[in-house]
């Protein structure tokens, strides 16, 4: 210890024992939170929820077709189309999740929506029903794997015609792949586009 001339009080010297406990605590917490806890959580996830822990991947004939959690583009008229994506530099880029950030009055958004409506109308000229909003607007993440039940129903006639299938059969597939609201009351009914298109491909090629 040393004293100051002014007050004659004692102060801790430069070799205070505080440093060692601080370093020990830092190392222990780094070990627990940076290594042991992640290993524990990963081990439990792999044991209890292996499918989800590994990305909820969808396999078909030994080939990975995608993930239940990440949307992907479909453009063939015999497929159900996904919700638009505004991620860059390509659509449905899981490494760059995000929306367009365009306001509702922005001319670029208006042009994009009009172009998407035109594409839907051109692919199914006889369909005069209102276009569901989620078929022409991107989500905040740009990665939605689902579309609304209304968006799926809107596309049934086109898909059925292109595949030469009865509309009732295609509607039945939509029903089979419709997921209800979470816990029965949160959100709305939705359809996983990848799962639905894989089911279609298993019946008839587009």
């Amino acid at each position: 210890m040393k004293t100051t001339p002014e007050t004659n009080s004692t102060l801790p010297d430069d070799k205070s024992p505080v440093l060692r406990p601080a370093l020990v605590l830092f190392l222990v917490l780094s070990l627990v939170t940076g290594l042991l806890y992640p290993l524990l959580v990963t081990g439990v996830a792999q044991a209890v929820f292996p499918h989800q822990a590994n990305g909820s991947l969808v396999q078909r004939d030994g080939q990975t077709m995608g993930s239940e959690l990440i949307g992907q583009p479909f453009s063939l008229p015999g497929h159900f189309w996904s919700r638009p994506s505004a991620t860059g530099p390509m659509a449905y880029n899981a490494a760059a999740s995000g929306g367009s950030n365009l306001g509702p009055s922005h001319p670029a958004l208006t042009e994009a929506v009009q172009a998407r409506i035109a594409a839907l109308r051109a692919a199914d000229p006889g369909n005069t029903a209102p276009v569901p909003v989620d078929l022409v607007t991107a989500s905040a993440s740009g990665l939605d794997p689902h579309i609304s039940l209304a968006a799926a129903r809107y596309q049934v006639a086109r898909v059925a015609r292109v595949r030469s299938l009865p509309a009732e059969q295609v509607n039945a597939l939509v029903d089979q792949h419709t997921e209800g609201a979470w816990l029965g009351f949160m959100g709305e009914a939705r359809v996983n586009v990848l799962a639905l298109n894989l089911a279609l491909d298993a019946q008839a090629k587009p």
Side-chain angles (χ1 to χ4, degrees), residues 60-180:
R60 178 62 55 87
D61 299 327
Q63 183 179 0
T64 301
M65 308 303 295
S67 170
E68 297 173 1
L69 307 177
I70 305 295
Q72 55 182 276
F74 293 96
S75 58
L76 294 176
H79 279 142
F80 284 84
W81 295 352
S82 303
R83 186 170 188 175
S85 170
T87 63
M90 58 186 178
Y92 309 99
N93 180 8
S97 173
S100 67
N101 295 327
L102 298 176
S105 61
H106 198 290
L109 179 60
T110 301
E111 293 175 5
V113 169
Q114 290 175 343
R116 292 161 183 163
I117 292 175
L120 288 164
R121 296 295 192 196
D124 193 9
N127 191 345
T128 59
V131 177
V133 67
D134 57 318
L135 284 181
V136 295
T137 57
S139 67
S141 70
L143 304 176
D144 284 17
H146 299 89
I147 55 177
S148 65
L149 182 55
R153 297 287 190 214
Y154 178 87
Q155 302 182 72
V156 165
R158 183 197 75 230
V159 172
R161 184 184 69 253
V162 172
R163 291 178 177 266
S164 300
L165 293 173
E168 294 78 8
Q169 182 177 345
V170 178
N171 264 316
L173 282 175
V174 171
D175 290 337
Q176 293 171 18
H177 292 84
T178 298
E179 303 172 17

Side-chain angles (χ1 to χ4, degrees), residues 20-55:
R20 176 176 291 181
L23 287 175
V24 172
L25 182 61
F26 170 75
L27 292 174
V28 170
L29 289 177
S30 297
L31 178 64
V32 172
T33 62
L35 182 63
L36 297 181
Y37 179 75
L39 286 176
L40 175 63
V41 172
T42 301
V44 172
Q46 290 290 342
V48 182
F49 306 106
H51 176 66
Q52 293 86 341
N54 289 290

